[in-house]
Amino acid sequence: MRQVFVTGDIEDLNHLARQVFVLRKRASHELVVPGARFYICSLSLKTVVYKGLLTSNQLWEYFKDLGNPAFTTYLALVHTRFSTNTFPSWERAHPLRVLAHNGEINTLRGNVNLMKAREGVMKSELFKDSELKKLYPVVEPNLSDSGSADCVLEFLLHCGQRTLPEAVMTMVPEAWHNDKTMPQEKRDYYQWASCAMEAWDGPALISFTDGRYIGAILDRNGLRPSRFYVTSENVLVMASEVGVYDVEPEKVILKSRLKPGRMLLVDTEEKKIIQDVELKLKIARSRPHSQWLKEQITMEDIHKSVASANGTVALNGSPNGAIVGLSDKRLALFGYTIEAINMLLVPMIQNKKEALGSMGNDAPLACLSQFQPLPYEYFKQLFAQVTNPPIDPFREKIVMSLLCPIGPAANILQPSAQFVHRVFLPQPILSLPDLHALKTTNHRGWKTKVLDCTFPYAEGPLGLEPALTRIANEASAAAQDGYQLIVLSDRAAGKERVPVSSLLALGAVHHHMIETRQRMKVGIIVETAEAREVHHMCVLLGYGADAICPYLAFELAFALRNDHILDPNLTDEDIYVAYQKAMETGLAKVMAKMGISMLQSYRSAQIFEAVGLSEEVIDKCFKGTQSRIGGVNFEILSQDIFDRYALAYGEMRDALVLRNPGNYHWRAGGEKHINDPMSIANLQEAALNNSSSAYDKYKESALESVRACTLRGQLELVKLDEPIPLNEVEPASEIVKRFATGAMSFGSISLEAHTTLAIAMNRIGGKSNTGEGGENADRYLNQDPDYNKRSAIKQVASGRFGVTASYLAHADDLQIKMAQGAKPGEGGELPGYKVTEQIAKTRCSVPGVGLISPPPHHDIYSIEDLAELIYDLKCANPRARISVKLVSEVGVGVVASGVAKGKAEHIVISGHDGGTGASSWTGIKSAGLPWELGIAETHQVLVLNDLRSRVVVQADGQIRTGFDVMVAALLGADEFGFSTAPLIALGCTMMRKCHLNTCPVGIATQDPVLRAKFAGKPEHVVNYLFMLAEEVRQHMAEVGVRKFQDLIGRTDLLKVRENNDNPKARLLNLSLILKNALHMRPGVNIIGGSKSQDFQLEKRLDNQLIEQCAGILDGTQKHIDIKMKITNEDRAFTSTLSYHVAMKYGDLGLPDGTTVNIALTGSAGQSFCAFLSKGITVTLEGDANDYVGKGLCGGKVIIYPPKTSSFESHLNVIVGNVCLYGATSGRAYFRGIASERFCVRNSGCTAVVEGVGDHGCEYMTAGTVLILGLTGRNFAAGMSGGIAYVYDIDGSFKGKCNTEMVELLPLKQNDDLNVVKTLLKEFVDYTGSLIAQDLLKTWPTPAKNFIKVFPFEYQRALKTLALKQPAAPKMETNGKGDNGVQDIEEAVRDIELDKKNLEKILDKTHGFIKYPRETSMYRPAEKRLRDWDEIYNFNHVRRGLRVQAARCMECGVPFCQSGHGCPLGNIIPKWNDLIYRGDWKQALHQLLQTNNFPEFTGRVCPAPCEGACVLGISEPPVTIKNIECAIIDNAFESDWIKPEIPEHRNGKTVAVVGSGPAGLACAHQLNKAGYTVTVFERNDRPGGLLQYGIPTMKLGKDVVARRIKLMEAEGISFKCNIDVGKDISATDLANEYNALVLCMGATWPRDLNLKGRQLNGIHFAMEFLENWQKKQMGPTHHHQNKDNPELSAKDKNVLIIGGGDTGCDCIATSLRQGAKSITTFEILPEPKPTRGQDNPWPQWPRVFRVDYGHEEVKVKFGNDPRKFSTLTKEFLDDGEGNVRGVAAVEVEWTRGAGGRWEMKEVPGTEKVYEAELVLLAMGFLGPEKYVANQLNLAQDARSNFETEKNNIYKTPVTNVFAAGDCRRGQSLVVWAISEGRQAARAVDIYLCGKSSLPGPGGVIYNH
Ligand SMILES: Cc1cc2nc3c(=O)[nH]c(=O)nc-3n(C[C@H](O)[C@H](O)[C@H](O)COP(=O)(O)OP(=O)(O)OC[C@H]3O[C@@H](n4cnc5c(N)ncnc54)[C@H](O)[C@@H]3O)c2cc1C
Ligand code: SF4
Ligand code: SF4
């Protein structure tokens, strides 16, 4: 370190100062060389900066001159900080050259980028251009946020023609936008100044000096503490605490604080303090800012300019024609999905806000997705965590603003009117007319350049990069050519031109223009079809967009309105306004989660991390963005564009509806989800039955999902060739101790689910977590060893629900929840209707009163604050381990190391994919990062800092299997959190309806009816976790590690998965997470928690207290008085005493009559009297810092100024910020002013104070507060309960109160008057308050100046309580899902909307509870058995259809379309919803997307979908099949079904053998794809079993004929009466046609070769049915059907052997033919009426059913025809060769060894059944053999045609395929259709290389 002296022209000191500045800057730019360290600490004529990595005490030792008495100064700015930087550096230490900063600048990247861009338009009168250039870049590289701000401030000071205070005001403006009380000239000034520079936004206390002035400014939201004293000796001391400077009390003449946005300034030359008001007004008046502001441009000006020039123009539609609704090709081109339209876009317009979702995000990361995600999806929003607080954008909207000036920026160095020559947009979303006006305006000579962001299709994917370069160059050129606005437009996209992604184009342009210093000359507007969601807008704004017009979203909404999907009465303007409002809320929320309050500052700030984008993409478009794992390059992004293009304009003949890959909700054939139906079902089966085989299946399906979705899935374990013996591996009982369940609060889940989890975790020695909702004392005080409901982990979240001394004292872990994985940076709310009596009790609140969790902890705005809370909690329970829950994002490792330095003992790193009860989809999908990145970074950084041994690290987020646990451990985790999986084990089906209170399995609901359905047991969770631990052990054996501890951090046991077939995944570079931390810092102790944190509890003042209170604590003493002195080093005073009280006396504090009185003098340290218990009274003469009475629970705190003080208490600050935060009961009396956020989240204490700062009583839910002086702004925001009485001295209160949730009433009622009077008296008694004395003198006269603040919700709740009704009325909502549901994120009630919803008749949200399932779908049996017509009662069914559709809950994981459900993957929830809404046509399209012949399945399908429907768990399932049938029948009736003749034929031919459903579906699909298809059928009519098999009663043959006719009209030729293999050779066919598809069915019937089989009258069922049906059909010209009396049942005793569907058809046919009697034999036992344990949902329920034939027999003959457990022994001869009967015996089924079922005959049950006709209906044994023989085609063990393993429809014979029953074995029509469809796709791929035909679930892949 060197000290240098510079000399120069001392005549002109200003000039010299500038010269010195240039010198310093040049030196900093030019002398910095790699490897050498060079930094000029300060080079100034007036100040000297001393800095070092020193503790305060070391300062004097190190800088000897500071200890020299000769060294004097008239000012000193001292900064000492808790270093949150991992590697603190001398350069970064404060003070910097002009400022010292306590805070965080959240908008840094944008500020720095824009500062750089500004260099292009800067000119100075003081510096020549050449000199100015030497100062660039203004912000030197690699500085901290404070360092960067310091550079800019210093620069403005020297070059900007501004004083230091003005420069500071420019950078850190007050919240002026919404402050109506601010003088107009000051607002004008701020507005003018905002055009010079966007704010440097974030929590900040900035102190600054230039040698003359010294001052400080606080951020706009007051997020840092700042207190000052002025003494009678004319000394001003300002610090973040009181008590840092010792001064006798009588010398203090003022005790005050800095308020939000305010500045404190001392002019040392004039020797005076300049007040904020005076200072700022002076600055505001220093130039004619208000006058200048008149020159600003508004949108109105722009519109006017255009209207006069052009008149009106058509604004809608693309150059390729106006939008045509959902069939518009551009929707597919830009990746719109039906799901996003329905779940995001439509609700935005309907409700003016974003829709909510729940249960987290479990879909693949964009960089793994196979469904062409848009580039936006690769970006994850960053969020504030620990070092800076998020903001509540709803309750603290006074600080939020979306106002943005756009267009050319002026020279910032020359303050002028030019600053405002820009367009001021109130928010960034432009309507179509706005955009048109901006494009065409020439207002004030402005010109707008529209840049085409498309390129010719013909250029192919390689065209993307050159197009980006071209656009960037054109933009730069336009700026140089004097254009003021640039519009980046993808309007020209269409068939000829493909779009460049708007985001890529914008990023490339923005960064290119910054580099070329052109950016500030123009405004950039994005005209985009691509962007439509909140997240899209955020990314665009974050990367530099000034304004956005999402035109396609608007045009689509207009079309939906025209189609009546949206309210037809909406005007275009209404639609725009609704969308824009929703966006506004969404944007504010995203900004707020990063702690940014102004859009102007959010813009360009790049607050994102990219996951899976390559360096080339980042470099070109998103410079400066973190992208840690590399990933997709331009080639892939471009290919995705072309794939989307192909979906839109390619030959997608079967794309009836927009593609829905199931991004949000799982759907068949779409994106994989971690929680897919198969895994859920397997897990439930495993947990329920403790079945390891089911667990193995689960493990497999889960691994498949994990591979498709997550980063860990791209890794695999490095296994030994020979595993070590399993018995040497640590036992599972030890491993499970590392497991914890996630923080799910009672309130978000039911009490039953919550306690079950706790019991389970206690049983295994793991830990359960209370979540943020508290825990009732009876759960932890009375512990039953087997059913212990105590949660070991007790959470302390921002809402502080139920956080009492006793709650804290009874925890093993106390967990501070900083953020939640699914929605980091966001708060939450439990709406009043969910707050039951029990919840209210647990959360220390009132039933029916809503409970809000604020986004930040209001006692944690910085790492120091967190350290304080950690300390407080440790004091409140010295036994507990203090845990901090963080969410993964870039830099979480640094935060974690700060947290470890702050003495946390346990850190949770949550992944982005964790679950949540409710959040907007933007939050769920787009914020936070995978835990793999977070755990790896945390472990590495902690090891590097040698902090790893001090903390235990837990991984959390969608951890489901032993493999997940292994990866997390190997990356560095010690413990593991499980949330979703244990819930699934308890019955959760991932319905994703948690936010609706309608969870059908009783987990995420408080509805008693639904809670009763909860069927989970602790053993289910125990089973699951033990099986998982066993899986871990197996992996451990395989990798050769015996002790779990030895796994931790062993990244060498992980490797990147080989042979990864996902091309995107192959581009990822995971080396960063696979680094072994011990290689970075060898030899460090990495055993988490092995070194304890030193809290220095032995030094606590509480120890003396506890000693003195020994008698109280052991119950031998009743009262004690204690006197002490206190200093600000004594923090959390009394918290440990309260701990001992709680341990001894439980929740209620000291017993009545036992008291502790403590009298103190001095300045108390932070968290004074935190969690103070009942019975303890603390009186302090002096003052106190922040957080007094935090979590007060019963105690009494009294503070008044020293009696010797001369100041007036009501004008001085007595306590700091956030006092009484989360207090639950007790009393507080503060004589003086409390700073910001007094009584936030108070839920029961009574407090009296003489004035409060901003945000008083925020989120309060109960308690009483009396304020005898002024309040700050935003009083009562989010206050749902309790009462505040405010003495409104100057009448200003109303203007400062946030009245969204409260009513302001006069103080008139006697009750109120008495309450206030009593409190005044108490206040006088305790504190001697003069104000209170004055008021009492004339009471009740002064009552007229009091205002009672009374929340609406509280009023309602009190009324309810008074009426003794149980809790608040349940909120009943009607209508579609989210529409009717209170947005629990926002307390702002939408009463109009509620009313509208109540008017609707059908309630879909609760439909499944309210409406019974329709059961009578058939005509009455007695009627129908007399005819051969279809049995269905169509009219009846049709009438109740909407109600039935309303029973469908549109599940998040619709099991109805899963593997257990509909084989076609029919999009059931979608069409159910459409029918509910009455949109039959769209429903038809959805149906036809997956099912070629719903008229068949709708009649004959046994509906496995209904068997798998989630409702079936506890209710009758949704009626699906009827709805399907009605949709298609209605379509035929409405003449909507027309032959669809393909436009092109591809010249290729395919022969299909067999015309059953498989053959028909295959032919249908191939024909659509342009093939010439011929179907060969050996029967006389096409249709297979549809025609001759399934009887007319089930499927009318006219229905079959209608379809065949249509297909013929579409160009398919049917050749009947040709038996392939006999009439023509199959080999010839294969040669003649390009492909041959065998769909020949399973026609080989199973026989029963018993004695007498040869007798007449014994037939296969099919012979009987076919014969009859042919007879019914009448003769064809090919075939003469002869009557065959032997095959008729008339007047015969009929016996049918085989009890399946075929048997039933034989029953019904015989009955109608006139059988004498009918009996059927079923060898299996009679099924039970309900599912057995071995047949869990969603498997097909093997239960007793009565099918149509059985019912008919019962009606006719009085009995059910079925004989179960009956074995045929012999056919009996009548002596003439005819059958006369059958000998049979009953059998018994038992489980033998190995669990297999065994059958035994029951002796003595032999019986003879008479029968003249015996029908064998025992199924089929595969296809007949002759065709196989001819083709040399192998048949498998089950006699089915054998096909290839990886191409299951392709046989090994060239060009021969197989599908349907002949491949799959005897099955169902629906399976046959599914097989036919997919075989067609396989043929298409075989013949054309790829296919545009849909895959499973109707999803089109185009590859
Ligand atoms: C009586 C009965 C009732 C049923 N009821 C139902 C029900 O209610 N619901 C349900 O979902 N499923 C039912 N099924 C099952 C269902 O019908 C079949 O799974 C389905 O029809 C199989 O379709 P497929 O196209 O594979 O074969 P099939 O429908 O059997 O069609 C095969 C076709 O190939 C023809 N063929 C065979 N060999 C040749 C050859 N060499 N040359 C030319 N043509 C040839 C046959 O004549 C036949 O037309 C029932 C089955 C039967 C037997
Ligand atoms: S085809 Fe069958 S399984 Fe599929 S939806 Fe229709 S009835 Fe259900
Ligand atoms: S049909 Fe059943 S399983 Fe399917 S979405 Fe509706 S409620 Fe869920």
Side-chain angles (χ1 to χ4, degrees), residues 1402-1603:
L1402 267 183
D1403 178 355
K1404 188 156 186 225
T1405 309
H1406 301 98
F1408 71 102
I1409 319 171
K1410 285 192 174 168
Y1411 311 122
R1413 177 182 156 107
E1414 173 63 74
T1415 45
S1416 47
M1417 48 230 236
Y1418 297 150
R1419 292 184 286 129
E1422 53 276 16
K1423 282 201 183 146
R1424 67 177 192 246
L1425 60 77
R1426 291 193 219 118
D1427 61 46
W1428 294 93
D1429 296 341
E1430 286 186 342
I1431 51 186
Y1432 315 106
N1433 191 346
F1434 290 111
N1435 288 339
H1436 177 79
V1437 163
R1438 201 79 74 87
R1439 271 197 298 276
L1441 220 53
R1442 246 195 100 210
V1443 179
Q1444 292 301 306
R1447 294 185 73 235
C1448 172
M1449 291 178 282
E1450 285 190 272
C1451 301
V1453 180
F1455 279 82
C1456 53
Q1457 54 166 152
S1458 71
H1460 287 290
C1462 177
L1464 285 165
N1466 269 351
I1467 312 161
I1468 297 162
K1470 192 77 229 123
W1471 37 261
N1472 276 351
D1473 184 46
L1474 289 161
I1475 291 305
Y1476 160 73
R1477 291 158 185 267
D1479 189 347
W1480 287 74
K1481 196 139 195 189
Q1482 269 304 318
L1484 176 72
H1485 287 164
Q1486 290 288 337
L1487 180 53
L1488 294 181
Q1489 184 64 34
T1490 48
N1491 191 350
N1492 301 60
F1493 313 124
E1495 71 273 30
F1496 302 155
T1497 50
R1499 287 172 166 77
V1500 304
C1501 187
C1505 52
E1506 294 182 10
C1509 169
V1510 167
L1511 274 197
I1513 297 173
S1514 54
E1515 310 263 334
V1518 172
T1519 312
I1520 300 171
K1521 179 174 142 179
N1522 288 353
I1523 297 180
E1524 178 178 28
C1525 195
I1527 295 172
I1528 187 72
D1529 285 358
N1530 175 66
F1532 274 111
E1533 285 157 27
S1534 310
D1535 221 9
W1536 291 341
I1537 306 288
K1538 299 265 191 282
E1540 281 171 23
I1541 300 156
E1543 284 165 32
H1544 308 284
R1545 292 281 172 195
N1546 62 12
K1548 298 197 163 71
T1549 56
V1550 181
V1552 176
V1553 183
S1555 64
L1560 292 180
C1562 182
H1564 201 209
Q1565 289 299 95
L1566 285 169
N1567 188 57
K1568 284 183 202 168
Y1571 293 87
T1572 305
V1573 186
T1574 311
V1575 181
F1576 293 87
E1577 169 58 55
R1578 68 180 178 190
N1579 235 318
D1580 64 339
R1581 285 181 177 84
L1585 291 173
L1586 302 170
Q1587 177 64 35
Y1588 296 129
I1590 301 172
T1592 52
M1593 299 83 82
K1594 263 162 75 182
L1595 178 62
K1597 300 307 158 194
D1598 50 334
V1599 176
V1600 182
R1602 180 177 65 187
R1603 178 54 73 175

Side-chain angles (χ1 to χ4, degrees), residues 656-732:
L656 296 173
V657 291
L658 261 186
R659 186 170 72 158
N660 174 10
N663 238 320
Y664 297 85
H665 287 176
W666 179 92
R667 67 156 294 182
E671 288 278 24
K672 285 266 179 208
H673 283 249
I674 296 184
N675 299 300
D676 68 322
M678 207 40 99
S679 304
I680 295 175
N682 292 338
L683 170 55
Q684 291 193 344
E685 191 185 346
L688 188 72
N689 295 335
N690 202 11
S691 153
S692 53
S693 63
Y695 185 84
D696 287 344
K697 280 192 278 163
Y698 161 70
K699 201 168 69 182
E700 232 168 79
S701 55
L703 184 63
E704 203 184 305
S705 316
V706 157
R707 290 205 161 144
C709 300
T710 66
L711 292 185
R712 60 186 172 282
Q714 312 319 307
L715 298 171
E716 60 191 358
L717 304 174
V718 178
K719 295 182 183 167
L720 298 175
D721 293 340
E722 189 63 35
I724 58 172
L726 196 58
N727 58 10
E728 291 179 13
V729 175
E730 189 171 327

